[in-house]
Amino acid sequence: MTTFLKLNFNTVIIPHTVTRHYQLIATGKFDTGVKVPRNFRLLEELEEGQKGVGDGTVSWGLEDDEDMTLTRWTGMIIGPARTNYENRIYSLKVECGPKYPEVPPTVRFVTKISMNGINNSNGMVDARSIPILAKWQNSYSIKVVLQELRRLMMSKENMKLPQPPEGQTYSN
Amino acid sequence: MAENSGTDPAVETNTEENAAASATIIKVTVKTPKDKEEIAIAEDSSVSQFKEEISKRFKAKQDQLVLIFAGKILKDGDTLGQHGIKDGLTVHLVIKTAQKSSSGSSQTSASSGPGPSQGNTAGTANPSPAGNLGTPQGSGPSPTPTQPPNILAGFGDLSGLSNLGMGSANFMELQQQMQRQLMSNPEMLSQIMENPLVQSMMSNPDLMRQMIVANPQMQQLMERNPEISHMLNNPELMRQTMELARNPAMMQEMMRNQDRALSNLESIPGGYNALRRMYTDIQEPMFSAAREQFGNNPFSALGGNTDNSGVQPSRTENREPLPNPWGPPDASAATTTTASGTATTTSSTTSSTTPSVSNPLGISSSSLGNGMFNSPGMQSLMQQISENPQLMQNMLSAPYMRTMMQSLSQNPDINPPPSGPAPAPAPTPTPAAGTNTAQQQLMQQMLQMFAGGNALTQTPEVRFQQQLEQLSAMGFINREANLQALIATGGDINAAIERLLGSQPS
């Protein structure tokens, strides 16, 4: 009889944790304190990107829809008003490595931009200069990174930087 | 039997919503930073068809639309299916306007010229020192009305200046109009602030001080209340003030802090009376002085305010139109209080001209670069100038320019009418001359700044000649020290004396 009970006990627990994960993910909160599997996270982020969560000033999605590893993403930031980035659309490439979301993704601007923390010759975002990349937490996401970059565009030190002509990209 | 029912797939070329053959209609949300619309479209439409729908809904041209989905820009030749756009998903939209803003709302650029352009009456251009740059470009004091256009024509793009109404007899009126315009359009303000000339002017504290000191009201005020002149002479304060005027967000922050401090003060017993006293002694005349520069406070009469002695220049009749009760709120001095002495002065936050400790003289960022900058001709000139500083230098060094400026500076009409009733006390023996000197200094400073070099050759000694004489008459024999002190205080005798006394071992 005890074995019978144990069996039931285990099977009850497993579906319980899985549903818990799903619940937490579904609310869009990634801060579970529990390690969420990478693909779950990325799928959720994919869905958010397609649904246009947020205020419409950033957008992100898979670079290649067939990419099963969910590694390469493209992002887009709309330059904030009243800055030198105004009215421009910045394209980025975000790479979520195998350890994501425990480690931050690598981010690279495709559209040329002049901004503190962005390498002038290849558009790489310096993880040490961007606060959330430097102090990454696994509750952060691609959306958060894009929004933070946009917020930095509005900072005093960046908003007045002279920008290269529109439409130029880094040759990589 | 050729009915044009519109649903015949064979003849179908248009792109109505329910058109495309038998595809399913999906509802896609189109989101701009400001707006959100749901658009029904066939699942296999192309991006350009989608854009057509969008342009109808958002009232924008198709080629102004930029669509973004999942971080990618949708090109016209693609289809929605290619990008995986399905029912219920959101596409981001950016409407590219010609110049500014990213969502179809274009700002009104500062276009309308200032107030009543009273034709091309040359003669006395009345540039009041506060808030008016560009006198070098203004019409010269030549008597014949026909001359200025000739001179101006030679400057290239200055023909627009004839619309400036520079010859307006009542310059105050002009300024007030421009002020009103400016205040009703905050975007203009930020535009102006971004103008590099304005910025460079604001970063020059001496210049700012001169502008303020040159106002005769201010001079009176300073003589009555020495604390005010102290404030003026404190470079830290000036710099802070200018920083604030430049940065409206910071200013708001400051205001808030002061309001808080003020309410604390009120709670002290007897504090309220002290506040009221301070207000009547200091704040009010200062207000009037500041506002007088920018046109009279229309509410001053309303409140039965009898402290009008310094407000209206008695000699000129009040030509301003009555205030528009439905117009944009003008500065109302009604709800202001002050705190002790020089420490904390607060003000209502309606007009950016209201003085406060952070902005002791009511330096209005809107008052600077006012007027002149509004006309399109002027603007293009400014653009040219900022792009090509050499142009500026050339302009200024041209010989006729020089003579024009000199005659400008000597023209007594240029000075705003001195206020009648309040007699200037002794220290400045010749108020008119004092004003003149101040004005001249002011102009020279401005010109120097423009030319980026020594366009004029007057040494400080010459400028401060009169003050030096006064100082030596008072018993300060050391001419060198006097000169130093005068330079440091920008010609303010009282402050210079304090400096001299302070430097002596007591």
Side-chain angles (χ1 to χ4, degrees):
Chain A
M1 238 174 64
T2 44
T3 45
F4 178 68
L5 277 171
K6 250 203 243 168
L7 214 63
N8 279 344
F9 184 63
N10 284 342
T11 47
V12 162
I13 288 196
I14 290 176
H16 175 71
T17 44
V18 171
T19 22
R20 183 161 166 265
H21 280 163
Y22 268 99
Q23 278 169 353
L24 289 165
I25 290 174
T27 58
K29 282 200 189 150
F30 293 137
D31 187 2
T32 62
V34 172
K35 275 203 191 165
V36 178
R38 174 183 179 274
N39 287 358
F40 277 10
R41 259 294 289 274
L42 288 171
L43 280 174
E44 187 59 34
E45 294 197 42
L46 181 62
E47 200 173 338
E48 274 193 351
Q50 292 181 335
K51 290 212 184 108
V53 169
D55 57 358
T57 49
V58 297
S59 174
W60 64 97
L62 271 181
E63 183 175 329
D64 178 5
D65 285 325
E66 311 293 319
D67 179 8
M68 288 295 135
T69 60
L70 305 175
T71 308
R72 265 178 293 282
W73 297 68
T74 57
M76 190 103 21
I77 299 180
I78 300 175
R82 284 180 292 283
T83 64
N84 282 0
Y85 307 99
E86 184 170 20
N87 221 30
R88 298 202 192 194
I89 301 174
Y90 290 96
S91 184
L92 299 90
K93 280 207 202 306
V94 180
E95 201 164 303
C96 300
K99 295 228 189 76
Y100 181 88
E102 299 307 317
V103 304
T106 52
V107 187
R108 196 168 82 71
F109 270 84
V110 173
T111 317
K112 273 205 182 160
I113 186 173
S114 168
M115 187 168 145
N116 282 319
I118 316 279
N119 183 313
N120 251 333
S121 50
N122 62 8
M124 287 295 302
V125 174
D126 183 8
R128 293 158 302 179
S129 326
I130 310 294
I132 57 163
L133 291 178
K135 293 199 178 42
W136 176 261
Q137 296 179 13
N138 63 5
S139 56
Y140 294 157
S141 62
I142 298 176
K143 170 177 89 168
V144 170
V145 174
L146 294 177
Q147 287 178 331
E148 175 72 5
L149 286 171
R150 185 171 191 272
R151 193 186 66 79
L152 288 172
M153 286 186 193
M154 299 197 273
S155 72
K156 279 245 162 336
E157 46 170 23
N158 283 322
M159 64 190 287
K160 297 258 173 245
L161 289 175
Q163 294 299 316
E166 220 174 316
Q168 286 189 353
T169 59
Y170 294 105
S171 55
N172 193 73
Chain B
M1 293 217 296
E3 312 97 318
N4 37 0
S5 55
T7 51
D8 186 11
V11 296
E12 179 188 304
T13 46
N14 54 4
T15 57
E16 275 157 343
E17 289 183 64
N18 45 2
S22 49
T24 45
I25 307 292
I26 55 175
K27 287 206 180 43
V28 182
T29 307
V30 178
K31 217 181 191 185
T32 65
K34 298 216 166 91
D35 222 352
K36 191 162 95 158
E37 293 263 355
E38 212 176 78
I39 299 205
I41 186 109
E43 200 172 23
D44 56 358
S45 325
S46 67
V47 171
S48 43
Q49 288 169 330
F50 193 31
K51 278 192 178 176
E52 231 181 275
E53 276 310 307
I54 295 178
S55 76
K56 283 189 228 156
R57 195 74 77 85
F58 282 86
K59 320 251 183 308
K61 293 212 213 80
Q62 236 175 295
D63 46 6
Q64 284 179 309
L65 306 177
V66 178
L67 287 172
I68 298 172
F69 178 70
K72 296 197 204 83
I73 295 186
L74 307 181
K75 303 207 182 10
D76 285 0
D78 300 338
T79 67
L80 299 185
Q82 244 179 291
H83 287 278
I85 300 178
K86 303 200 185 359
D87 189 32
L89 297 185
T90 300
V91 172
H92 296 293
L93 172 68
V94 177
I95 302 180
K96 282 186 160 305
T97 53
Q99 271 251 316
K100 306 217 173 245
S101 112
S102 68
S103 194
S105 61
S106 46
Q107 304 166 348
T108 55
S109 49
S111 53
S112 50
S117 70
Q118 306 192 351
N120 215 4
T121 55
T124 61
N126 279 337
S128 150
N132 183 11
L133 288 178
T135 42
Q137 287 92 12
S139 48
S142 60
T144 60
T146 53
Q147 253 196 337
N150 292 343
I151 297 182
L152 295 181
F155 279 65
D157 204 17
L158 282 179
S159 47
L161 273 179
S162 55
N163 294 336
L164 275 185
M166 280 291 294
S168 160
N170 187 357
F171 204 72
M172 298 302 190
E173 197 180 307
L174 205 61
Q175 275 209 323
Q176 201 194 15
Q177 292 247 357
M178 299 186 290
Q179 174 86 345
R180 273 206 212 109
Q181 243 178 34
L182 202 57
M183 293 211 290
S184 56
N185 184 354
E187 295 298 349
M188 214 192 288
L189 181 61
S190 48
Q191 273 185 39
I192 282 178
M193 287 313 293
E194 280 158 21
N195 187 316
L197 272 172
V198 173
Q199 281 188 348
S200 57
M201 194 178 74
M202 291 195 93
S203 48
N204 183 352
D206 277 339
L207 186 59
M208 296 294 297
R209 187 148 42 95
Q210 290 251 334
M211 281 191 351
I212 290 155
V213 168
N215 182 3
Q217 301 297 322
M218 220 30 142
Q219 282 175 353
Q220 267 179 56
L221 203 61
M222 282 182 23
E223 273 134 24
R224 264 189 259 148
N225 284 322
E227 294 140 347
I228 293 180
S229 55
H230 280 196
M231 275 203 295
L232 261 183
N233 290 327
N234 181 355
E236 251 329 293
L237 207 52
M238 291 290 293
R239 216 167 294 134
Q240 211 185 5
T241 302
M242 291 187 313
E243 265 306 311
L244 277 180
R246 221 193 302 200
N247 182 355
M250 218 198 294
M251 192 178 249
Q252 279 191 5
E253 201 53 47
M254 268 301 219
M255 299 284 197
R256 247 173 279 148
N257 289 346
Q258 286 162 13
D259 285 338
R260 241 175 282 139
L262 178 69
S263 47
N264 286 346
L265 258 162
E266 269 189 346
S267 59
I268 300 175
Y272 182 66
N273 287 338
L275 290 183
R276 206 150 54 97
R277 222 183 313 128
M278 286 306 162
Y279 174 66
T280 39
D281 282 347
I282 295 179
Q283 189 78 359
E284 201 149 294
M286 211 192 229
F287 265 26
S288 333
R291 220 161 270 118
E292 208 268 341
Q293 289 180 357
F294 312 126
N296 297 318
N297 181 359
F299 295 103
S300 60
L302 268 185
N305 181 6
T306 53
D307 183 13
N308 265 349
S309 52
V311 174
Q312 299 199 1
S314 64
R315 299 223 202 106
T316 62
E317 115 193 55
N318 183 4
R319 286 193 205 115
E320 279 134 19
L322 288 173
N324 176 7
W326 298 284
D330 205 346
S332 74
T335 56
T336 55
T337 47
T338 61
S340 55
T342 57
T344 48
T345 341
T346 72
S347 55
S348 66
T349 51
T350 47
S351 155
S352 48
T353 59
T354 53
S356 62
V357 73
S358 53
N359 186 0
L361 306 148
I363 294 174
S364 153
S365 42
S366 60
S367 71
L368 302 166
N370 210 341
M372 297 290 302
F373 285 43
N374 283 358
S375 118
M378 199 57 192
Q379 273 196 340
S380 55
L381 177 66
M382 285 298 179
Q383 257 183 15
Q384 282 182 12
I385 284 176
S386 34
E387 279 158 24
N388 182 6
Q390 194 60 32
L391 171 65
M392 190 62 152
Q393 291 232 5
N394 291 345
M395 258 175 56
L396 286 175
S397 53
Y400 49 79
M401 203 59 208
R402 192 73 61 95
T403 45
M404 196 167 84
M405 288 191 310
Q406 280 180 3
S407 43
L408 255 183
S409 52
Q410 263 126 35
N411 188 346
D413 285 340
I414 286 176
N415 305 320
S419 63
T428 33
T430 50
T435 330
N436 263 345
T437 331
Q439 294 252 348
Q440 281 181 26
Q441 287 170 23
L442 176 66
M443 298 257 261
Q444 282 161 16
Q445 280 220 352
M446 287 203 293
L447 295 175
Q448 266 185 14
M449 193 196 65
F450 282 158
N454 289 336
L456 302 163
T457 53
Q458 288 196 342
T459 65
E461 216 178 282
V462 174
R463 275 161 43 203
F464 296 135
Q465 185 63 31
Q466 190 213 1
Q467 283 94 326
L468 278 170
E469 282 171 12
Q470 289 181 24
L471 283 175
S472 54
M474 280 189 229
F476 292 101
I477 328 175
N478 187 349
R479 204 173 161 78
E480 259 313 305
N482 292 352
L483 194 58
Q484 291 298 325
L486 279 170
I487 293 176
T489 60
D492 181 345
I493 296 186
N494 289 336
I497 292 175
E498 303 242 354
R499 248 186 132 81
L500 291 169
L501 287 175
S503 65
Q504 289 178 9
S506 51

